[in-house]
Amino acid sequence: MKAFTRAAEMQTASLGLRSGGKSIGFVPTMGALHEGHLSLVRRARQENEVTVTSVFVNPAQFGPTEDYRKYPREPARDAQLLEREGVDFLFAPPVEEMYPPNFQTYATVEKVSAPLEGQFRPGHFRGVATVVLKLFNIIQPHRAYFGRKDAQQCVVIRRMVRELNLPVEIVVCPIVREPDGLALSSRNYYLNGEERRAARVLYRSLCRARELVEKGERRTEAIVREIRQLIEREPHARLDYVAVVHADTLEPVGRVAGATLIPLAVWIGRARLIDNLLIEESGSGLGFHL
Ligand code: AMP
């Protein structure tokens, strides 16, 4: 594996690969890697001749009171894991390389950035879209891999790619979970033993929502009420939001119908965790993705 810290060097290598006809698969991450990240890497390896992973904790997507400084950083371990997975290039720039002094150009995807995460983390998706656009320009991937755990992020990136005519295919991959259902996340490192047990309430409440819909419930109000109750009953948990929205527009819907997303964000101790249930409707009935 070859590691780059300079954008110009990474870009030169990528342009060389592209003009040599190699397909490039790209996995952007903020590091502190776990099996969720590695599942994206494996998929990228299967589908491309060359795999590039970036590790960059992006200050632009953290709010002033958020965990940017405390976010887990394990560069040596990350590099070792990526090497073992057969990644060809690691791009791990220092902050000044991505945001030199007096940086002032940002990408904003307007409507789909506003609700849900956007409401609780103003400016978050502007930071995400900007860094992803920069990384796409540096790495020049044919395909880029994202996890459905961050469902709104996938919607924002897909829209940016479509509306700015970026020549990259966005591949959304399933959520990787612990055996008890908790979605893997670098922020799970913040949980102590008791909080770790409490964190199961996210998955548990989404399973309950699935069960309700399976039994015929379609009303948003009833589904949201049930999830709220489960989370309120968990002493370590504090709900930021739960919603039932259209999976592509993220607009609220009154009933489950067609492609529907049920995302939630819950504080467990000092960790803010997110998860979601995706429901798809086809000729043969409803499909659930948890
Ligand atoms: P992050 O390092 O948190 O920015 O995540 C980098 C990428 O890994 C994003 O596309 C995430 O959606 C994805 N990811 C994080 N956790 C998981 C998970 N448990 N399962 C699948 N993908 C994940």
Side-chain angles (χ1 to χ4, degrees):
M1 184 175 74
K2 187 153 179 38
F4 289 110
T5 57
R6 299 284 157 222
E9 288 173 15
M10 180 74 240
Q11 195 177 44
T12 302
S14 294
L15 288 168
L17 290 164
R18 246 190 123 101
S19 60
K22 299 279 191 208
S23 61
I24 303 174
F26 172 45
V27 181
T29 82
M30 298 205 299
L33 300 179
H34 51 64
E35 280 294 316
H37 299 114
L38 299 182
S39 73
L40 307 185
V41 168
R42 287 174 199 137
R43 177 87 178 266
R45 284 252 297 149
Q46 276 169 20
E47 299 179 353
N48 302 277
E49 288 159 295
V50 175
T51 301
V52 183
T53 302
S54 63
V55 171
F56 179 63
V57 184
N58 174 32
Q61 71 187 68
F62 288 80
T65 63
E66 292 182 1
D67 56 346
Y68 173 66
R69 283 160 57 124
K70 292 198 173 133
Y71 196 84
R73 289 167 173 83
E74 305 181 48
R77 178 176 169 275
D78 289 344
Q80 210 175 41
L81 286 171
L82 294 172
E83 173 108 58
R84 209 181 297 158
E85 290 295 333
V87 166
D88 301 286
F89 295 94
L90 165 60
F91 181 52
V95 176
E96 324 77 71
E97 183 70 8
M98 296 296 275
Y99 300 105
N102 202 28
F103 182 92
Q104 50 190 290
T105 307
Y106 294 88
T108 308
V109 183
E110 297 193 343
K111 274 197 218 155
V112 292
S113 295
L116 310 170
E117 285 300 285
Q119 204 173 342
F120 287 86
R121 306 185 69 189
H124 171 65
F125 289 115
R126 180 177 91 137
V128 169
T130 301
V131 83
V132 169
L133 181 56
K134 283 171 67 72
L135 290 167
F136 284 179
N137 283 330
I138 294 164
I139 287 155
Q140 306 272 321
H142 295 85
R143 299 188 189 84
Y145 296 80
F146 293 85
R148 213 201 67 239
K149 183 174 85 73
D150 299 276
Q152 188 174 10
Q153 172 169 282
C154 295
V155 170
V156 168
I157 300 300
R158 276 204 155 131
R159 188 164 278 275
M160 176 176 77
V161 163
R162 193 162 70 233
E163 296 185 354
L164 295 184
N165 309 89
L166 305 181
V168 53
E169 178 191 336
I170 301 302
V171 182
V172 176
C173 303
I175 303 176
V176 178
R177 299 180 179 281
E178 299 283 3
D180 67 359
L182 177 66
L184 299 194
S185 164
S186 306
R187 291 194 168 94
N188 295 350
Y189 295 121
Y190 300 150
L191 302 171
N192 67 28
E194 219 173 292
E195 291 164 350
R196 173 63 188 79
R197 275 190 296 282
R200 294 159 68 172
V201 74
L202 282 84
Y203 180 69
R204 203 169 0 108
S205 60
L206 293 172
C207 286
R208 179 70 187 128
R210 177 178 59 188
E211 194 180 307
L212 285 175
V213 177
E214 275 173 337
K215 285 186 179 149
E217 183 59 79
R218 294 289 181 274
R219 294 168 303 156
T220 290
E221 197 190 301
I223 297 165
V224 161
R225 190 189 318 126
E226 185 88 5
I227 293 180
R228 278 187 186 283
Q229 275 174 7
L230 282 174
I231 289 167
E232 275 162 18
R233 261 184 245 141
E234 176 51 65
H236 291 281
R238 186 169 62 76
L239 182 68
D240 258 358
Y241 66 81
V242 56
V244 180
V245 300
H246 186 282
D248 300 319
T249 64
L250 305 181
E251 282 168 5
V253 293
R255 297 175 61 79
V256 172
T260 306
L261 185 71
I262 306 184
L264 49 73
V266 181
W267 284 94
I268 307 281
R270 64 186 185 94
R272 185 176 179 282
L273 305 180
I274 59 172
D275 202 340
N276 66 82
L277 166 65
L278 174 65
I279 306 173
E280 284 174 323
E281 202 168 354
S282 66
S284 52
L286 295 180
F288 296 90
H289 304 272
L290 241 185

